[in-house]
Amino acid sequence: MNKYDEKTLALIEKLWRKGKLTVSEYRQVIDGYSLVAAEYAATCAFETRKAIYDNTVFVRGLIEISNFCKNDCLYCGIRCSNKNADRYRLEKEEILECCKDGYEVGLRTFVLQGGEDGYFTDDKLVDIVSSIREKFPDCAITLSLGERSYDSYKKLFDAGANRYLLRHETADGEHYAKLHPPTLTLAKRKKCLDNLKKIGYQVGCGFMVGSPYQTDETLAKDLKLIEQFKPDMCGIGPFVPHRDTPFSQFEAGNVGLTCYLLSLIRLIHPPVLLPATTALGTVHPQGRLAAILSGANVIMPNLSPQSVRKKYELYNNKLTSGEESAQEMNKIKQQVQSIGYRVVVARGDIKK
Ligand code: SAM
């Protein structure tokens, strides 16, 4: 081992003990990414998650309810200015049908994700959320529908939603401005995250690894934000280019670095629920399993109707299994078992 690795390992060990570092130390840990460092971080993350979750992996059914979006995020395939996107939205009955399919195969969390689609007013969403709550009382309902007002988040919480995923995307304001149109700001995003927490949701933030203009410094700020915000969930996946966006020529994010960051996040906030994202599986066939071995403990199989899965194209070559969800679940269970973990039928709330 060289001197450089020794220094990085010492900082990872400090992070394991204390759960925090300075931004400058985080930058050094990121800059010190190597096979040796990644292996050590994964070993520490393994011990950490085992103490809390043993070898269990939680599964959530992802339902992509709409690919209409009023926003124009430069990285995203469903941005409003992409005229090639084939737009769709699901009706309440279709969403309930997806939940029914998922329930039958053992899913106890439903994640409703979509673009910021004005069609889904508070009234429409309250109706959908309360119907799911009534029909599936033992399930958790997670929403991932972007920025909404405090009152809107509150109405949806009161209707029965439990969790909300809203990635912060980057904790650096200037970087944020390079990824988004001027209508979206980091300050607004953080306000939404604070509101969600205040209301009582289990809240998830997160970011893409390898997004254009990302640096070790911006990543260090992401880790600091996670350390301070202590999200219940954290979505980390590689950036993957989409042909019809201004970022079509940028390279996809690195799988190894993504896994390294997952391990570090496990050490920063041990009980966090960390998904092995679809984007990881898209960039590498073993990406999701590698993520679990690095500290992730959640998988989100797709429950959307087969006919719309390709249309929810945030990035090119998105993994969309051609199989029915039941078969997909069996495959996931077997894969997870093959690396020594087990999928459980449970809501899978954060253990605090
Ligand atoms: N509209 C909601 C929101 O903004 O939170 C939910 C949908 S949005 C498409 C979900 C996430 O997809 C974003 O937070 C972003 O990080 C991720 N995403 C979008 N484009 C991507 C790309 N090209 N590569 C990887 N992830 C991407």
Side-chain angles (χ1 to χ4, degrees), residues 103-272:
Y103 194 88
E104 279 166 11
V105 297
L107 297 169
R108 295 294 179 269
T109 290
F110 305 119
V111 182
L112 273 51
Q113 190 181 86
E116 291 192 20
D117 178 359
Y119 173 85
F120 285 102
T121 57
D122 290 347
D123 285 352
K124 279 213 174 69
L125 284 172
V126 163
D127 181 33
I128 293 168
V129 170
S130 49
S131 300
I132 300 175
R133 174 57 52 240
E134 191 191 312
K135 289 193 163 55
F136 306 95
D138 55 334
C139 294
I141 302 171
T142 305
L143 301 177
S144 178
L145 301 169
E147 297 185 2
R148 303 179 75 91
S149 68
Y150 181 95
D151 287 347
S152 172
Y153 287 149
K154 179 81 171 77
K155 281 183 196 164
L156 299 173
F157 184 77
D158 292 341
N162 313 95
R163 307 184 189 135
Y164 206 102
L165 301 173
L166 183 70
R167 290 185 175 183
H168 65 279
E169 311 295 359
T170 169
D172 180 287
E174 282 175 26
H175 185 210
Y176 198 96
K178 290 180 181 159
L179 302 179
H180 298 98
T183 45
L184 299 176
T185 63
L186 179 59
K188 265 201 206 163
R189 188 54 60 124
K190 282 187 175 168
K191 182 78 191 153
C192 286
L193 286 166
D194 286 341
N195 284 345
L196 289 162
K197 214 177 211 186
K198 211 181 291 167
I199 291 167
Y201 281 95
Q202 291 175 39
V203 184
C205 63
F207 59 91
M208 293 175 285
V209 177
S211 61
Y213 315 111
Q214 185 173 68
T215 62
D216 289 352
E217 186 68 29
T218 65
L219 280 173
K221 289 184 184 171
D222 289 321
L223 296 186
K224 196 52 162 179
L225 182 147
I226 290 162
E227 177 199 298
Q228 290 171 336
F229 185 68
K230 299 215 176 339
D232 302 288
M233 305 159 287
C234 198
I236 311 290
F239 159 76
V240 187
H242 185 291
R243 72 181 88 77
D244 297 319
T245 64
F247 292 161
S248 60
Q249 298 308 314
F250 283 85
E251 280 192 13
N254 182 287
V255 174
L257 179 62
T258 307
C259 289
Y260 184 52
L261 289 162
L262 286 170
S263 299
L264 299 177
I265 291 164
R266 172 67 61 209
L267 301 184
I268 292 171
H269 186 34
V272 70

Side-chain angles (χ1 to χ4, degrees), residues 286 309 320 349:
Q286 301 301 319
R309 287 190 196 179
T320 52
D349 291 300

